[in-house]
Amino acid sequence: MLGIVQQDHLTVKSELKLLNQVQQWFEQFCLKYLSPEGWSESQLYRLNLALAEGFTNAVRHAHHALPPETTIDIDVSLFFDRLEIRIWDCGKPFNPDAIREPEPGTLQVGGYGWFLLRRLADRVVYERANDNQNCLLIVKYGLQSQ
């Protein structure tokens, strides 16, 4: 496995109004490290949208019963062949396999965010860590590795 080339970390309170700050932080990382490496605007847009979906899911679902001061940690790691985003929250565990994928042409309540995440990224993994935190891992491979 190839080592990390660049990484960054952001801790924010569990408030939807901070989504813009989260996205601006990520955009700065992308402009500084991914754009010079040839990552396309389309790839960066999809990653930013996936980050926004993961963050808002943590705020709306994992932290809905917790005080807004509860923090969410976001790690971004650039490897030679991929970018990984990890979103850590303190909410109750959930089972992504229990979310029914929306059927084309039908409407359902919920489940679209998880469906969208899996379409935007090359790999999406939910894990419950030993310290009772949830970790959402979002992976996008660079063009050279596809």
Side-chain angles (χ1 to χ4, degrees):
M1 192 160 287
L2 301 173
I4 295 174
V5 176
Q6 294 293 336
Q7 59 185 355
D8 203 354
H9 175 87
L10 179 68
T11 300
V12 291
K13 292 179 183 176
S14 188
E15 298 181 46
L16 285 177
K17 68 181 181 183
L18 297 176
L19 175 59
N20 194 36
Q21 176 187 338
V22 169
Q23 289 187 288
Q24 287 178 349
W25 165 79
F26 183 70
E27 285 175 14
Q28 289 305 308
F29 183 89
C30 290
L31 288 173
K32 189 171 183 181
Y33 301 114
L34 275 69
S35 294
E37 295 297 322
W39 287 66
S40 71
E41 276 189 46
S42 174
Q43 286 175 304
L44 302 182
Y45 174 79
R46 292 168 68 94
L47 282 165
N48 204 336
L49 187 55
L51 171 61
E53 185 59 37
F55 175 78
T56 57
N57 280 350
V59 173
R60 287 185 177 142
H61 301 294
H63 287 187
H64 75 276
L66 299 174
E69 296 78 32
T70 307
T71 58
I72 294 173
D73 289 295
I74 305 169
D75 296 312
V76 60
S77 301
L78 175 62
F79 294 79
F80 286 105
D81 63 336
R82 69 192 181 282
L83 183 83
E84 295 184 357
I85 301 169
R86 284 184 169 78
I87 302 170
W88 299 87
D89 70 63
C90 303
K92 292 180 181 178
F94 94 105
N95 179 5
D97 295 331
I99 299 173
R100 237 182 58 227
E101 188 168 303
E103 293 184 30
T106 63
L107 293 177
Q108 74 179 40
V109 177
Y112 290 98
W114 190 249
F115 172 78
L116 179 64
L117 270 173
R118 291 191 328 240
R119 296 304 181 270
L120 292 170
D122 294 322
R123 187 168 159 237
V124 179
V125 178
Y126 163 82
E127 297 175 329
R128 181 71 172 182
N130 291 337
D131 61 357
N132 293 326
Q133 284 194 315
N134 299 313
C135 180
L136 177 65
L137 170 64
I138 301 166
V139 180
K140 187 74 179 165
Y141 291 96
L143 289 176
Q144 64 276 12
S145 61
Q146 292 182 352

